[in-house]
Amino acid sequence: MNYENTCLGLELGSTRIKAVTIDENHVPLSSGDYTWASSYENGIWTYSLEEVWQGLKTAVSGIANPGSVKAMGVSAMMHGYLAFDKDWNLLVPFRTWQNTITAQAARELTEAFRFNIPQRWSIAHLYQAVLNQEPHVPQIAHITTLAGYVHYMLTGVNAVGVGEASGIFPIDSDTNGYDEGMMVKMEEILAKYNLPWNVRDVLPGVLVAGEPAGKLTAEGAALLGGVLPEGIPFAPAEGDAGTGMTATNAVAPRTGNVSAGTSIFSMVVLEKPLSQVHEEIDLVTTPTGKAVAMVHCNNCTNDMNAWVKVLRETVELFGGSVTTNDLYTKLYQKSLEGDVDCGGVTTYNYMAGEGVTHLDGGRPMVVRKPDSSFTLANFLRSQLYATMSTLKIGMDILAEEGVAIDSLTGHGGLFKTPVVGQKYMAAACNAPVTCMETAGEGGPYGMALLAAYMLRKAEGETLEQYLNNRVFAGAKSVTLTPEPEEVAGFDAYLTQFKNGLKAQRAAVETI
């Protein structure tokens, strides 16, 4: 392996902070990671910013030959709300994408813009804080996302990539900047509150993939533990959606990908605008500003992870031990023995609320009839079906809009075990699903690719051309096509899932 002239991708995901380096041939070389989790404090899902830096130091310490890094970039979970004063002091704890506390703001902005503004978007959080008359609002000088914050602290540049920016405020794909018409409307909405700031001034700047976005400062190098040399050029900071599209070569029209881990979302690059506003569908962009339809679901594998922990305790109760990797692999594979409709066992994996199904909270549930076939395999298969059921509801809206998808690529933790998640996703979407060798790398690998593109960009070469010609031309991949019996089984499961959402709603209201 060539450990010279590497590119580094950092990503702050929902469960792991990870660093990945790639060589000049875009092959992953080394990685480091740090496990963390959000906490629920005073009704807010949040992460500690102190742990951000502890995690990044740990992740970076795991990479080989850090002195060889020639370009790097930062990615993180999109959306959310980090508000700072003029000296970049944090005004309120970080509000993550998991929160469903901005319903009024999201509804009013969607109506005003005639453009869907989901609850997790940064502008919804900002406007909701204004509506709530929160004490910190007059002190705001900057709001940004987690990726934007880390990028600023490492480089001194207060800007994000256009894909990340598209989860802050709507983007005009013609200019690759914030939509001016909607910005004017936002200013008009806020004018009556007599705030000491203008909304366009508190948002981060917008950059496009391939543009330079600053260099690692001495202060930034110290924050990462002092192992990286000062002066490394940075690519624009991106969200996990943009890095996922890059990592799966899904940045051209009619391509799509599904990222599945703590949350699950699909990204489909559009050929033409949707015919109407759908509250269930986000309109964001690729790292180069192309319009993308995004179906985002807050809940994916967290409930499964909780059950795996219980099953591990059961093994240990009898004196056994098993590695985490073996445990997940065996349980995922066991699910393949289940009935295609899960034998009547239905799981609601809602740890948090879901915009697609219009729920502001979640209560994990497993539901079955007295005559359901409640076996381990059916239970596990139901758990895995649940991870993608809400996504399927959103994908059906895109199908009704006539959105064409030539290829769908899966990546993230759900696809690490070969065949299983891929097989179920093909059945859910009734479309071929491809997984590459790098399926488990996901975002940090995609961020490293964006850093490489920025460093080595040829004159006139688009990101699509770069990925097709230089990165994925000989990539190893496996494609699974949907089997009719599996499709019918998932459809039967989904019908039961949708019928039972009334029970989920009642649980949220009463428990």
Side-chain angles (χ1 to χ4, degrees):
M1 290 186 176
N2 181 9
Y3 286 95
E4 299 299 325
N5 300 321
T6 63
C7 291
L8 170 63
L10 303 175
E11 182 157 271
L12 297 100
S14 303
T15 58
R16 285 196 305 167
I17 297 173
K18 192 170 183 181
V20 169
T21 60
I22 60 174
D23 66 14
E24 290 181 316
N25 296 315
H26 310 97
V27 175
L29 286 176
S30 65
S31 65
D33 70 298
Y34 173 88
T35 300
W36 70 338
S38 58
S39 56
Y40 192 63
E41 301 175 9
N42 300 316
I44 300 292
W45 288 104
T46 188
Y47 292 85
S48 159
L49 293 195
E50 289 77 13
E51 196 174 9
V52 165
W53 301 109
Q54 178 186 348
L56 283 169
K57 283 181 183 178
T58 301
V60 170
S61 70
I63 66 172
N65 195 14
S68 72
V69 175
K70 303 303 181 187
M72 62 186 292
V74 176
S75 175
M77 43 193 152
M78 285 179 71
H79 315 297
Y81 180 74
L82 281 159
F84 299 91
D85 67 13
K86 62 182 178 59
D87 298 316
W88 286 87
N89 296 306
L90 186 67
L91 296 174
V92 289
F94 172 33
R95 299 172 182 178
T96 78
W97 56 270
Q98 289 175 289
N99 290 288
T100 50
I101 56 174
T102 64
Q104 180 184 355
R107 181 177 63 254
E108 290 185 12
L109 293 181
T110 296
E111 292 174 357
F113 294 167
R114 296 183 180 178
F115 183 98
N116 184 34
I117 303 294
Q119 289 201 47
R120 65 187 170 278
W121 279 35
S122 305
I123 193 61
H125 279 280
L126 175 62
Y127 184 41
Q128 190 67 55
V130 172
L131 291 173
N132 295 344
Q133 299 183 337
E134 296 185 34
H136 77 277
V137 168
Q139 303 173 61
I140 292 173
H142 313 284
I143 72 160
T144 190
T145 59
L146 183 56
Y149 162 70
V150 173
H151 183 89
Y152 171 77
M153 294 297 289
L154 295 180
T155 67
V157 175
N158 181 22
V160 297
V162 64
E164 175 77 339
S166 70
I168 296 174
F169 193 90
I171 293 292
D172 180 347
S173 290
D174 291 331
T175 65
N176 285 331
Y178 298 121
D179 186 283
E180 181 60 24
M182 295 184 202
M183 186 66 73
V184 170
K185 287 183 181 179
M186 191 75 238
E187 290 174 324
E188 293 171 351
I189 290 168
L190 293 175
K192 63 182 178 182
Y193 296 97
N194 297 314
L195 298 167
W197 44 263
N198 185 290
V199 63
R200 69 176 71 230
D201 297 329
V202 302
L203 300 183
V206 184
L207 297 170
V208 176
E211 294 182 335
K215 296 181 178 181
L216 183 64
T217 63
E219 296 81 4
L223 285 170
L224 295 178
V227 298
L228 292 168
E230 179 184 350
I232 299 173
F234 269 67
E238 269 298 346
D240 48 2
T243 54
M245 284 187 277
T246 304
T248 57
N249 195 21
V251 296
R254 299 175 68 99
T255 64
N257 79 90
V258 175
S259 174
T262 303
S263 65
I264 186 170
F265 54 86
S266 63
M267 311 287 296
V268 180
V269 186
L270 299 175
E271 294 180 287
K272 58 183 180 180
L274 300 182
S275 66
Q276 58 183 297
V277 175
H278 298 278
E279 291 184 10
E280 302 86 355
I281 308 296
D282 295 16
L283 290 176
V284 292
T285 78
T286 69
T288 57
K290 287 184 170 59
V292 174
M294 179 183 191
V295 180
H296 184 284
C297 308
N298 290 339
N299 303 281
C300 187
T301 59
N302 267 350
D303 189 37
M304 178 71 170
N305 295 342
W307 281 104
V308 170
K309 182 179 178 181
V310 169
L311 293 171
R312 177 193 288 279
E313 290 180 13
T314 305
V315 171
E316 293 171 348
L317 181 65
F318 289 91
S321 64
V322 62
T323 67
T324 299
N325 185 62
D326 285 347
L327 184 59
Y328 274 93
T329 299
K330 289 288 187 183
L331 293 175
Y332 273 49
Q333 290 173 341
K334 181 67 177 178
S335 73
L336 293 170
E337 300 174 16
D339 299 325
V340 291
D341 64 352
C342 304
V345 181
T346 307
T347 297
Y348 295 91
N349 63 330
Y350 287 5
M351 304 286 283
E354 282 292 1
V356 172
T357 48
H358 310 289
L359 284 162
D360 289 335
R363 300 293 185 271
M365 297 166 50
V366 177
V367 182
R368 59 190 173 98
K369 297 178 181 177
D371 60 348
S372 296
S373 178
F374 191 51
T375 64
L376 177 61
N378 279 336
F379 168 73
L380 294 170
R381 191 165 182 138
S382 175
Q383 282 285 333
L384 292 172
Y385 274 18
T387 64
M388 52 194 75
S389 290
T390 307
L391 180 81
K392 167 63 171 174
I393 294 171
M395 292 292 282
D396 284 345
I397 295 172
L398 294 184
E400 291 168 3
E401 279 272 4
V403 173
I405 306 174
D406 290 339
S407 64
L408 192 63
T409 306
H411 67 108
L414 185 66
F415 299 103
K416 277 189 173 182
T417 300
V419 177
V420 184
Q422 188 179 0
K423 181 184 184 72
Y424 298 157
M425 187 64 68
C429 296
N430 194 17
V433 175
T434 299
C435 285
M436 299 180 184
E437 276 191 339
T438 51
E441 296 293 348
Y445 174 64
M447 192 65 243
L449 292 178
L450 288 171
Y453 175 62
M454 184 273 300
L455 182 67
R456 304 164 185 153
K457 182 181 178 184
E459 185 67 31
E461 189 173 35
T462 66
L463 179 61
E464 296 96 309
Q465 291 168 337
Y466 185 88
L467 295 177
N468 281 328
N469 299 333
R470 302 199 193 192
V471 180
F472 294 108
K476 295 180 180 178
S477 63
V478 175
T479 300
L480 293 183
T481 56
E483 301 172 12
E485 183 184 8
E486 301 273 346
V487 173
F490 190 93
D491 286 347
Y493 178 90
L494 188 66
T495 296
Q496 187 66 29
F497 183 92
K498 290 192 287 189
N499 289 342
L501 283 170
K502 292 180 181 178
Q504 175 67 199
R505 186 165 286 108
V508 171
E509 293 171 353
T510 58
I511 298 176

